[in-house]
Amino acid sequence: MSPRTADTAVAVHPLLAERWSPRSFDASHTVTDEQLTALLEAARWAASAGNLQPWRFLVGRRGDATFKQIFDSLKPGNQLWAGNSSLLIAAVAAEQHADGTPHSHAAYDTGLAVAQLVLQAQALGLHAHQMGGFEAEQLRTALSVPDGYRPLSVTAIGVAAAADLLPPELHARETAARERRPLTETFYAEGWGTPVRVRQQG
Ligand SMILES: Cc1cc2nc3c(=O)[nH]c(=O)nc-3n(C[C@H](O)[C@H](O)[C@H](O)COP(=O)(O)O)c2cc1C
């Protein structure tokens, strides 16, 4: 069990317990075509409201033009570290139904597809780090995202590397204890605010 492993009241699946979001990535690593295809299949097979699959993805591999365009759209704080990842994948949601009415579950569904992609990355021995810190309009222009589609996130994927390879200002964040709100403050029953009775963290 690594110091990054989630501290849970009872065991959860290792894919979940071992997932975390590194900033230090191995700049020499590249994904194989098979790995990339597995990541995309994992996202493609997510559940969605009405099976409308409102997601689209823009996929950049380090060294190609798409990677650079996605990278250039990142906020400076993310550009400090994301360039060493093997993939930058932008998730885009179709915000409207075919008849032009708003699709109220588009973001929910697209996030779920990203979650599946992230866990597939974990299953392949890779790590993923999602980012909301990017300029959506810059990405839209650079990669010709049509109206009605909204870029929601960028996910960096690659092999996690040593924390001390990061610039000093990022090093402490990479090794800081991972924390979550307690079960009692998150899961309710018998009315809002009343903790559901489950085993607590010991
Ligand atoms: C929608 C979303 C946006 C995020 N945006 C950023 C970001 O812009 N930069 C960053 O370094 N991390 C970002 N993160 C990563 C979170 O900070 C991270 O998931 C959280 O601190 C929990 O850490 P863990 O993933 O290691 O468990 C984002 C995560 C999500 C899901």
Side-chain angles (χ1 to χ4, degrees), residues 78-119:
N78 289 328
Q79 289 193 351
L80 282 177
W81 57 268
N84 285 345
S85 65
S86 308
L87 299 170
L88 287 176
I89 300 182
V92 180
E95 291 193 295
Q96 294 169 0
H97 295 292
D99 65 3
T101 57
H103 182 349
S104 55
H105 288 94
Y108 183 102
D109 291 347
T110 303
L112 182 54
V114 174
Q116 295 205 176
L117 186 148
V118 164
L119 292 175

Side-chain angles (χ1 to χ4, degrees), residues 19-21 23 78 81 129-133 173 178 180:
R19 185 212 60 80
W20 66 287
S21 303
R23 291 182 175 82
N78 289 328
W81 57 268
H129 192 142
Q130 298 167 69
M131 289 167 271
R173 291 169 78 182
R178 297 185 60 227
R180 288 298 188 269

Side-chain angles (χ1 to χ4, degrees), residues 83-176:
N84 285 345
S85 65
S86 308
L87 299 170
L88 287 176
I89 300 182
V92 180
E95 291 193 295
Q96 294 169 0
H97 295 292
D99 65 3
T101 57
H103 182 349
S104 55
H105 288 94
Y108 183 102
D109 291 347
T110 303
L112 182 54
V114 174
Q116 295 205 176
L117 186 148
V118 164
L119 292 175
Q120 182 64 37
Q122 190 73 25
L124 293 168
L126 306 171
H127 276 84
H129 192 142
Q130 298 167 69
M131 289 167 271
F134 70 102
E135 302 293 347
E137 288 312 305
Q138 182 178 337
L139 186 76
R140 174 191 298 288
T141 304
L143 286 155
S144 309
V145 177
D147 289 345
Y149 289 82
R150 183 155 75 100
L152 288 181
S153 70
V154 172
T155 301
I157 296 175
V159 165
D164 56 14
L165 296 174
L166 287 169
E169 64 268 35
L170 295 179
H171 186 267
R173 291 169 78 182
E174 192 79 344
T175 52

